[in-house]
Amino acid sequence: MKLPLPISVRTFCLGTTLALAAILAGCKPPSADTPASADKAGGKGLTVGFAQVGAESSWRTAETKSIQDEAEKRGVTLKFSDAQGKQENQIKAVRGFIAQGVDAIILAPVVETGWEPVLREAKQAKIPVVLVDRGVKVEDESLFATLIASDFVAEGRMAAEWLVKKTGGKAQIIELQGTPGAAPAIDRKRGFEEGIKASPEMKIIASQSGDFTRTGGKQVTEALLKVHAGVTVVYAHNDDMAIGAIQALEEAGKKPGTDVIVVSIDGVKGAFEAMVAGKLNCTVECSPLLGALAFDAVEKAKAGTAMEKKTVVPDRVFDQSTAAQELPNRKY
Ligand code: AHR
């Protein structure tokens, strides 16, 4: 009769058998110099650099939290860099991650252009770069692994379509643009213009950057109200600028949401609160909860698994008619 072997003996035998098999097959058993991808399946043990734009809006803070929480959940060591809205800081951060030999880089690029040299350096170092939220303009798309983002053109178009219905196709619009050169600023402008094109009485009477910040939105609106007293609509490329614009409108003695229609993009909690208070009319959702998708992509890139070049995150439109019902469900 055969007695079962104790666990330690079984483990030893299995280990010896595997090592022997590996040697016979002509390959080395796993060791400290085994490539990261082989040792770190499932993300655990990976070191990932995250080059973030900054903290200009509540949307951005929610995106940072989503990536940090997901890294923690998966046992990934996250190296975080806040570029304070400056591309040169972001390029330095990416170079720093390359020098440290991280396993992968997650990049939310401040602007669209000027990325080729540093992305080429990452590629040469065999470090995959996963783009989140904003895209880049590069000739060679193999310079990044994938992009996970919303369709910003569609968001601008959805805001315009909602507005055309609301105003009956007649409006004097102040547009608050995002950061110059940033993908959401370029695309949300384009989408909005496309959306109002068939309505000749929808007119953009002024368009300026508020840099995606609440202060920027307030200051630009204050200045523009002095020269455009006949404004009937504020279209802001994000909720934070819209909230700043609401303050400026109130200080100028106007009733935002009634005298002046305010429409924006992001769908942050503050926007829902402003809609419930009757001060914001509509927001188009743009999800910042990209952590899980970003790390799925990192893991696929490390495992050499094929993936789509772009994953589009779906968005929805909310206005005052659904705001109160939706507010308790908002996660950011
Ligand atoms: O890239 C996404 C945009 O950037 C968000 O709409 C905005 O709030 C952020 O700062």
Side-chain angles (χ1 to χ4, degrees):
M1 191 184 106
K2 270 190 192 169
L3 286 174
L5 290 171
I7 287 176
S8 57
V9 175
R10 272 188 282 165
T11 314
F12 172 79
C13 291
L14 184 67
T16 315
T17 313
L18 285 177
L20 245 159
I23 292 161
L24 288 177
C27 52
K28 287 196 289 172
S31 71
D33 58 353
T34 305
S37 55
D39 266 343
K40 297 170 180 175
K44 199 165 168 56
L46 288 179
T47 298
V48 175
F50 175 30
Q52 176 59 296
V53 171
E56 73 282 2
S57 61
S58 24
W59 187 99
R60 184 67 52 199
T61 315
E63 188 195 44
T64 298
K65 189 173 178 316
S66 168
I67 303 243
Q68 287 172 335
D69 288 353
E70 194 63 28
E72 204 185 323
K73 201 162 124 192
R74 297 188 187 210
V76 170
T77 303
L78 192 72
K79 290 177 182 286
F80 178 72
S81 160
D82 175 334
Q84 302 187 342
K86 293 196 171 66
Q87 186 182 29
E88 60 266 33
N89 291 347
Q90 245 183 346
I91 291 176
K92 266 191 216 144
V94 173
R95 290 211 164 106
F97 293 149
I98 297 171
Q100 292 168 63
V102 297
D103 295 301
I105 294 169
I106 298 176
L107 169 66
V110 178
V111 289
E112 276 189 334
T113 55
W115 292 102
E116 271 97 347
V118 75
L119 289 181
R120 222 171 285 127
E121 289 165 36
K123 191 179 174 188
Q124 270 156 15
K126 298 197 174 12
I127 299 174
V129 176
V130 170
L131 301 176
V132 286
D133 132 51
R134 299 181 179 182
V136 295
K137 280 219 157 80
V138 286
E139 294 255 305
D140 175 6
E141 293 226 315
S142 77
L143 292 179
F144 63 93
T146 191
L147 163 68
I148 298 155
S150 286
D151 181 339
F152 298 136
V153 177
E155 289 173 349
R157 209 180 298 124
M158 285 192 263
E161 283 162 4
W162 180 89
L163 198 57
V164 170
K165 271 198 203 125
K166 172 81 180 169
T167 59
K170 201 172 171 190
Q172 300 282 303
I173 306 161
I174 282 179
E175 179 183 31
L176 300 176
Q177 294 183 39
T179 306
I186 297 167
D187 293 350
R188 287 172 184 170
K189 177 166 187 54
R190 198 181 110 203
F192 187 81
E193 285 170 355
E194 281 174 16
I196 61 169
K197 208 165 149 194
S199 311
E201 288 187 86
M202 300 283 289
K203 295 212 164 31
I204 299 177
I205 52 172
S207 182
Q208 262 185 41
S209 171
D211 217 10
F212 281 130
T213 66
R214 206 173 273 210
T215 322
K218 182 167 189 272
Q219 285 170 352
V220 172
T221 309
E222 271 165 9
L224 291 177
L225 280 177
K226 289 186 183 133
V227 269
H228 298 286
V231 58
T232 60
V233 168
V234 171
Y235 162 53
H237 289 189
N238 81 343
D239 289 340
D240 278 68
M241 289 192 295
I243 292 168
I246 287 170
Q247 288 170 7
L249 287 164
E250 286 180 325
E251 283 171 24
K254 293 190 187 280
K255 260 188 145 189
T258 311
D259 299 341
V260 178
I261 291 165
V262 186
V263 52
S264 62
I265 298 170
D266 273 359
V268 299
K269 257 189 205 149
F272 279 82
E273 285 159 2
M275 284 196 288
V276 172
K279 297 179 181 188
L280 180 78
N281 299 82
C282 170
T283 186
V284 179
E285 183 182 56
C286 172
S287 179
L289 308 177
L290 306 176
L293 288 171
F295 285 103
D296 283 352
V298 164
E299 287 172 22
K300 280 187 188 153
K302 294 306 293 176
T305 311
M307 62 186 134
E308 296 292 329
K309 210 68 205 177
K310 184 170 181 183
T311 301
V312 178
V313 182
D315 300 316
R316 295 169 293 173
V317 179
F318 294 96
D319 63 15
Q320 290 180 356
S321 67
T322 49
Q325 193 191 330
E326 175 63 13
L327 181 56
N329 307 327
R330 301 309 293 169
K331 292 197 175 67
Y332 62 95

